[in-house]
Amino acid sequence: MTQLPLRAQLATALGRTAATLSRVTGRGDGSVIGGRVSLVLEPDLLRKLAHDRKLVLVSATNGKTTTTRLITSALSELGDVATNAFGANMPAGHVSALSSAKHAPYGVLEVDEKYLPEVIDTTGAGVICLMNLSRDQMDRAGEIWLLAQKWRRALAGKNTHVIANADDPLVTWGASTAASVTWVSAGQPWKEDSWCCPECGGPLDRKGMEYVPPGGVGTGAPSVAGENDWACRECTFRRPEPSWVLDDDAVVDPRGRRWVLDIQLPGRANRANAAIALATAEAFGLPVERALPRLREVRSVAGRYTTVERDGRHARLLLAKNPAGWLEAFDVLDPSLPVILSVNAQGPDGRDTSWLWDVDYRVLRGRPVLVTGERRLDLALRLDVADVPFQLVGSFEQALGAQPPGKVDVIANYTAFQQIRSEFGRAV
Ligand SMILES: [Zn+2]
């Protein structure tokens, strides 16, 4: 690595001092404040820190933090890796991540979807992973089609390789201006944000859900072959042929070899994240046989999937922030266990809870359901309408105490999740 210019060195050092001060005074891990201090002193610091490194940017609505962690674990097979492990996913967090591992030849950065164009421009990253786009934080985030359009503009004309989920039409559209793309069939259980063609606004055909025009049977419909296939009825935009395929508990690589994943992180969404991570590792010359054992070492990511314990109750924590995330969390639940649902609506969660109405809760019928969090009444009304019996409780602690000793699953959105972690220990 080349030496940083003096001003950049100073900015990095002062940023790290600020981060340390923040940590020792108990204000979090300090990566955001440290990065901000550094950027004030040297606005071009991110570009300088990124220079000469082999970088991957990871962006999506869901799964960014986990996929970043999986790729980091895989690439550590090749050398030191700088990464923003705690989800500080805007430029200040990136500065902090890269300056705390100054000599690492590799960098894996989780990037907020809205900041991706800026971070692509600044870092000149060689590889970018794009996984899924769906509604999130309805009062804050812009329309996701506009986000995908900004991705297209940012990728056009750059010498960047993209690893993208071909099963998500909006991601496919967002990625398709890139110079080269590795398409991965990583699945898309949540389809409510992709019934229309992003290119022309026409209807998308999907297997088993072919569009029928008003007044009769359509003619000349595009053939939609596989489970995850899709095609526009009115223009040529359709799912590209994937070279990597997530097939139940395994990944099929471009040479047709089937690798059973057998990772410790639970659920379909994490197998999709692992498929993206394996394709990314190969883009760095790391074969599946070396990358996969590294993915299997990852047990939890920033507290997700960990278990907290009190008085003999063992609660497994699942984070879900939006409708697509809740759908993936339901897939992880143990149907034999009670489940506690906790919903807040503070700034980081988005204040608008109308998204609760987009989730199909009927899968929760037949098990004890406890509802808590600041917006428990919003969720209670929604469950009532869906005919899901539940018990309303004042706090997470009461919810846990209301259960007999044993295991329980918990789904919480962002600040509710953080509250539970800070009150009940930061088991990792
Ligand atoms: Zn179209």
Side-chain angles (χ1 to χ4, degrees):
M1 304 260 330
T2 47
Q3 184 82 314
L4 284 174
L6 196 57
R7 188 183 181 84
Q9 285 185 41
L10 184 66
T12 307
L14 287 174
R16 294 185 69 182
T17 305
T20 306
L21 281 172
S22 171
R23 251 192 319 275
V24 298
T25 54
R27 295 169 200 208
D29 78 87
S31 54
V32 173
I33 184 70
R36 278 191 192 147
V37 166
S38 300
L39 281 170
V40 167
L41 292 164
E42 172 51 287
D44 206 30
L45 188 57
L46 183 54
R47 186 186 311 276
K48 293 192 164 95
L49 287 167
H51 187 66
D52 275 359
R53 296 205 218 217
K54 296 188 172 97
L55 283 187
V56 196
L57 309 181
V58 180
S59 201
T61 303
N62 290 317
K64 294 186 281 290
T65 306
T66 302
T67 307
T68 297
R69 175 65 183 278
L70 290 172
I71 296 170
T72 301
S73 187
L75 294 191
S76 66
E77 185 73 9
L78 297 173
D80 286 343
V81 185
T83 186
N84 48 345
F86 298 100
N89 62 14
M90 298 178 209
H94 303 145
V95 163
S96 200
L98 295 180
S99 59
S100 63
K102 267 190 285 196
H103 302 291
Y106 297 93
V108 185
L109 299 178
E110 169 185 341
V111 185
D112 180 278
E113 310 87 280
K114 296 175 285 303
Y115 282 83
L116 184 64
E118 176 188 331
V119 178
I120 291 173
D121 279 342
T122 310
T123 61
V127 178
I128 297 168
C129 295
L130 304 173
M131 286 119 58
N132 55 74
L133 274 175
S134 67
R135 64 190 71 175
D136 183 45
Q137 296 198 2
M138 309 180 93
D139 53 346
R140 292 208 318 166
E143 159 69 34
I144 51 176
W145 183 86
L146 289 173
L147 261 180
Q149 194 183 46
K150 286 176 184 161
W151 289 5
R152 286 170 69 80
R153 290 193 189 129
L155 291 170
K158 294 214 174 52
N159 187 24
T160 300
H161 184 74
V162 175
I163 317 287
N165 181 6
D167 297 343
D168 186 316
L170 200 50
V171 164
T172 299
W173 188 66
S176 56
T177 55
S180 63
V181 185
T182 297
W183 298 108
V184 181
S185 172
Q188 191 206 31
W190 174 263
K191 297 184 172 60
E192 302 306 322
D193 291 309
S194 46
W195 291 113
C196 293
C197 171
E199 179 72 26
C200 76
L204 289 183
D205 283 328
R206 289 171 179 275
K207 185 172 187 199
M209 307 172 185
E210 277 82 353
Y211 170 76
V212 178
V217 178
T219 52
S223 64
V224 190
E227 192 58 43
N228 291 304
D229 202 5
W230 53 264
C232 178
R233 168 163 294 242
E234 290 176 1
C235 77
T236 57
F237 188 61
R238 66 172 305 152
R239 176 175 175 261
E241 192 59 42
S243 51
W244 294 76
V245 176
L246 175 65
D247 178 21
D248 192 20
D249 64 345
V251 166
V252 180
D253 73 15
R255 287 158 295 287
R257 295 177 300 177
R258 194 168 189 276
W259 302 85
V260 174
L261 287 168
D262 198 21
I263 53 173
Q264 297 195 60
L265 297 177
R268 193 218 71 86
N270 283 321
R271 295 195 291 276
N273 296 336
I276 295 276
L278 290 174
T280 306
E282 198 183 70
F284 283 83
L286 187 66
V288 179
E289 49 267 48
R290 287 178 67 197
L292 185 50
R294 292 286 186 161
L295 305 193
R296 290 177 181 147
E297 291 170 4
V298 179
R299 298 178 55 180
S300 76
V301 179
R304 293 151 209 201
Y305 318 109
T306 53
T307 298
V308 297
E309 189 270 338
R310 181 166 292 182
D311 301 330
R313 279 88 175 167
H314 298 261
R316 183 174 60 152
L317 306 184
L318 307 174
L319 173 71
K321 300 182 280 194
N322 48 47
W326 278 67
L327 204 63
E328 300 281 18
F330 289 162
D331 172 60
V332 176
L333 294 180
D334 181 335
S336 69
L337 295 182
V339 59
I340 300 172
L341 310 177
S342 184
V343 172
N344 284 356
Q346 296 179 19
D349 307 310
R351 296 199 174 276
D352 181 349
T353 57
S354 62
W355 60 269
L356 287 169
W357 291 83
D358 298 335
V359 180
D360 185 350
Y361 298 89
R362 288 173 297 178
V363 66
L364 299 177
R365 288 175 188 164
R367 75 187 92 190
V369 176
L370 296 101
V371 176
T372 186
E374 296 162 357
R375 292 301 186 97
R376 57 188 175 276
L377 292 178
D378 297 3
L379 181 54
L381 175 62
R382 177 67 188 92
L383 292 175
D384 191 50
V385 168
D387 268 336
V388 177
F390 64 91
Q391 187 184 340
L392 197 61
V393 277
S395 69
F396 177 75
E397 191 171 9
Q398 286 173 22
L400 207 53
Q403 290 307 302
K407 291 181 181 174
V408 55
D409 279 332
V410 180
I411 303 178
N413 69 346
Y414 190 75
T415 64
F417 184 90
Q418 300 301 353
Q419 272 172 11
I420 294 167
R421 276 192 81 202
S422 62
E423 280 172 39
F424 288 78
R426 300 171 77 88
V428 173

